[in-house]
Amino acid sequence: MKKYCIGLTAVALLLGGCATQAPAPYDYTAFKASNPKSILVLPPLNESPDVNAVNGMLSQTSMPLAESGYYVFPVALVQQTFRQNGLDSPADIHAVKLEKLHDIFGADAVLYLKVKHYGTSYQVLVSDTRVTAEAVLLDARTGAKLWSGTATASSAENQGNQGLLVMLVQAAIQQIASNLSDKSHDIAGITSQRLLAAGRMNGMLYGPRSPHYRQREAVE
């Protein structure tokens, strides 16, 4: 009996050790103190081999931020302003000092993005279109880090256990569809929502243009 009890205890400890722990709450002290109302989104750095990653991700960032209650500087206007100042490369734009960005645009905060993965990988049974991105939000006046996060979306998320023939057919159809359309662009939209939409655990706070602005402490 004693050995039986010891065995149960060991199993319980093993399961407890394997259980997923909730992430620690994000410290929003600097975010609240800054209380940004407008955000300047810079073209993302691209660490993936897909040259479409920069525009594909950048085009999906304005909506979740605007719906979260922030004024977002128009992407076309920002790109044109940088271009007129001889800056086309995201790396060169990220190197511009915050003080200079604040002088030019007058934004309260600047969002720096990095695309870690963008595109479709083809295997025998699975075709996976995946987009992973990181974001850091800095106060444009002080340089203080207000928030950071990362998110991933994949076309394979909802694929359950299926028969071999069904999986082969689905993989072939997905590969054809991905070749005919830019599926990564749609997946980038999901990644952007997960990364930048307020109201998520450890995510962005609601901005002053959101009806949830006064209730944002409830999601922290």
Side-chain angles (χ1 to χ4, degrees), residues 14-157:
L14 180 61
L15 291 176
C18 295
T20 302
Q21 294 182 347
Y26 196 89
D27 183 358
Y28 289 101
T29 303
F31 203 131
K32 291 179 180 177
S34 175
N35 195 27
K37 301 176 179 61
S38 59
I39 295 177
L40 171 66
V41 181
L42 302 186
L45 297 176
N46 181 22
E47 294 187 351
S48 81
D50 195 324
V51 296
N52 296 315
V54 173
N55 290 331
M57 190 68 200
L58 182 61
S59 65
Q60 300 280 9
T61 57
S62 296
M63 188 171 71
L65 291 172
E67 291 180 342
S68 296
Y70 298 96
Y71 172 77
V72 184
F73 288 80
V75 171
L77 173 64
V78 172
Q79 287 186 313
Q80 186 62 28
T81 302
F82 282 128
R83 192 166 292 121
Q84 289 177 350
N85 287 275
L87 297 172
D88 280 319
S89 163
D92 291 340
I93 294 172
H94 280 232
V96 177
K97 292 183 178 180
L98 275 172
E99 181 182 8
K100 190 68 174 178
L101 293 175
H102 182 62
D103 289 343
I104 296 174
F105 295 98
D108 295 327
V110 179
L111 186 72
Y112 294 82
L113 293 164
K114 183 183 294 182
V115 180
K116 306 289 290 185
H117 190 102
Y118 190 99
T120 303
S121 58
Y122 300 108
Q123 300 173 11
V124 176
L125 297 179
V126 178
S127 175
D128 181 18
T129 302
R130 182 177 297 264
V131 176
T132 299
E134 297 177 349
V136 177
L137 185 68
L138 301 183
D139 187 304
R141 293 153 295 195
T142 66
K145 180 181 173 181
L146 307 183
W147 172 82
S148 65
T150 183
T152 295
S154 166
S155 61
E157 291 177 11

